[in-house]
Amino acid sequence: MKKILLVLSLLLLVGCAKGEKGESASSGDDVLKIGILQFAQHPSLDNCREGLIEGLKEEGFVEGKNLKIDYQNAQADMGISAQIANSFVSNKVDMIIAIATPAAMSAYNATLNTDIPVVYTALSDPVAAQVADENKNPVGNITGTSDILPVEEQLKMIREILPDAKNIGILHTSSEANSDSMLKIYKDLAGKYNFKIVDEAINTTADIPLATDNILSKVDAITNLLDNTVVNSLPTILDKANEKKIPVFGSEIEQVKMGCLGSEGIEYISLGNQTGKMASKILKGEKEAKEMPYETILEPNLYLNSKVAENLGIKIPKDLLDRAVENFSEINLAEGK
């Protein structure tokens, strides 16, 4: 009888051990937590997020399986961006992925005294944002991908489409480091193509309508649109520009779909995918963020919208039409709403 009781006791102990082990496995100990901080809600940044999640998946990190994603959007508000980054740190995420320059700066500041790596994407100038040095090396436990525009190619394309244009307008947010950086590049290169850059600074989305009216009275076209606050208000800008028959040139494919005339830019799903693969190396322990130089997509793509050209009475040269990766024959403003 004593032997039977001993065997039963041993079986019970083994069963409890298995139960404890099973409970531990199901409690998510092997699941990595990442916080995704997106600065604003617009198609370019949404595509970045879609691409990076796909990039993570291709490398074996699948949401709901071995990855938990906490996605937060700052709605183009720097204060909210900082709050979200700090909450990720408080929740002890394994990584913060920051989409757009202000988000990257918020994440960097929030993680300075931690060992949480930050991976950014859609950051135009990592050096100006002070998260990398002139050699592309990180200045902390932070790395990622830059969406710096091919400015010279953009100016050359505008000149081909608008041979008589003189003044090119750029709306920009005074507090966005990426905007200041891109504006300087435009001003440095504009003279080469006989353009003068006319810029109008804003502070918040509420400033967009008046700033747009002001700049449209002085220019032959608007370009850039890499600024997150400005891109967030693209439908408003396009409405006002179309009324005055002034073309707007975008920075990537989604803006051309929405009604910009053309863009020499990058494709953000690909940029996000590239970012996801960089993040995967860190999550796998193959690399540390602080030893990974930031990356860029080197080859720009030409996107055109023939419907917009038709509405504005503009003829696009055949060589540009032939070179375009995509040429849209309609306007999809719903993409931006």
Side-chain angles (χ1 to χ4, degrees):
M1 186 68 178
K2 288 182 180 179
K3 287 184 179 179
I4 293 173
L5 289 173
L6 181 60
V7 171
L8 289 173
S9 298
L10 288 171
L11 287 173
L12 184 61
L13 286 170
V14 171
C16 288
K18 284 182 178 179
E20 289 172 3
K21 196 174 290 185
E23 185 180 346
S24 175
S26 64
S27 66
D29 288 349
D30 297 329
V31 175
L32 293 170
K33 297 181 294 183
I34 65 170
I36 296 180
L37 168 53
Q38 183 172 318
F39 183 65
Q41 190 82 45
H42 58 73
S44 307
L45 302 187
D46 292 342
N47 282 351
C48 255
R49 187 178 76 252
E50 178 185 335
L52 78 85
I53 291 173
E54 186 60 34
L56 287 165
K57 185 177 179 181
E58 289 173 8
E59 295 298 318
F61 294 100
V62 181
E63 186 177 11
K65 183 179 178 183
N66 58 356
L67 188 68
K68 181 178 179 181
I69 295 176
D70 183 358
Y71 164 65
Q72 301 286 335
N73 194 296
Q75 302 301 328
D77 187 305
M78 287 292 293
I80 295 175
S81 181
Q83 290 172 14
I84 293 169
N86 287 325
S87 73
F88 285 159
V89 171
S90 298
N91 293 332
K92 295 183 167 70
V93 297
D94 295 294
M95 173 183 286
I96 297 177
I97 296 180
I99 306 176
T101 302
M105 295 173 75
S106 296
Y108 176 67
N109 290 330
T111 57
L112 276 176
N113 298 316
T114 76
D115 58 359
I116 299 173
V118 176
V119 178
Y120 56 78
T121 186
L123 196 160
S124 306
D125 191 339
V127 178
Q130 300 182 339
V131 295
D133 64 23
E134 296 287 349
N135 297 315
K136 294 189 174 183
N137 295 314
V139 297
N141 200 23
I142 181 169
T143 189
T145 58
S146 169
D147 64 347
I148 188 166
L149 283 179
V151 174
E152 185 155 7
E153 288 86 347
Q154 180 92 340
L155 288 169
K156 183 179 178 182
M157 179 262 294
I158 295 172
R159 175 53 73 202
E160 289 184 62
I161 294 177
L162 303 175
D164 300 322
K166 295 178 181 178
N167 298 321
I168 304 297
I170 294 179
L171 291 163
H172 62 101
T173 306
S174 55
S175 60
E176 282 201 32
N178 60 311
S179 295
D180 292 339
S181 174
M182 293 307 302
L183 180 60
K184 182 180 185 304
I185 295 172
Y186 265 100
K187 287 185 173 180
D188 289 344
L189 292 172
K192 184 176 179 179
Y193 296 93
N194 296 316
F195 288 127
K196 178 184 176 182
I197 299 298
V198 178
D199 67 285
E200 187 86 20
I202 62 162
N203 293 308
T204 68
T205 302
D207 299 329
I208 290 286
L210 181 58
T212 303
D213 288 336
N214 287 340
I215 204 166
L216 287 173
S217 67
K218 306 171 188 175
V219 301
D220 303 299
I222 287 179
T223 189
N224 189 13
L225 295 169
L226 197 62
D227 182 299
N228 292 288
T229 306
V230 174
V231 174
N232 220 29
S233 300
L234 183 53
T236 299
I237 296 166
L238 286 171
D239 284 345
K240 289 179 173 292
N242 288 336
E243 285 178 11
K244 294 184 176 294
K245 296 291 184 181
I246 292 177
V248 177
F249 292 89
S251 61
E252 50 84 43
I253 184 172
E254 298 297 337
Q255 294 171 17
V256 179
K257 282 183 186 177
M258 288 169 60
C260 288
L261 177 56
S263 167
E264 283 277 10
I266 64 174
E267 196 275 300
Y268 276 84
I269 290 180
S270 297
L271 185 72
N273 189 280
Q274 185 174 337
T275 310
K277 291 183 177 179
M278 290 182 75
S280 296
K281 291 180 181 179
I282 300 167
L283 294 173
K284 290 176 181 177
E286 297 174 357
K287 291 274 190 179
E288 290 188 57
K290 61 186 178 185
E291 62 186 22
M292 299 173 69
Y294 74 82
E295 299 178 4
T296 59
I297 287 182
L298 298 177
E299 293 297 325
N301 293 320
L302 173 61
Y303 304 105
L304 297 170
N305 194 315
S306 292
K307 182 62 176 177
V308 172
E310 179 186 334
N311 291 345
L312 295 174
I314 294 172
K315 185 175 181 180
I316 300 175
K318 184 178 183 303
D319 64 317
L320 290 182
L321 292 170
D322 292 341
R323 186 166 63 82
V325 174
E326 287 199 53
N327 180 12
F328 301 98
S329 57
E330 59 183 21
I331 301 170
N332 190 358
L333 271 174
E335 291 283 344
K337 294 181 179 177

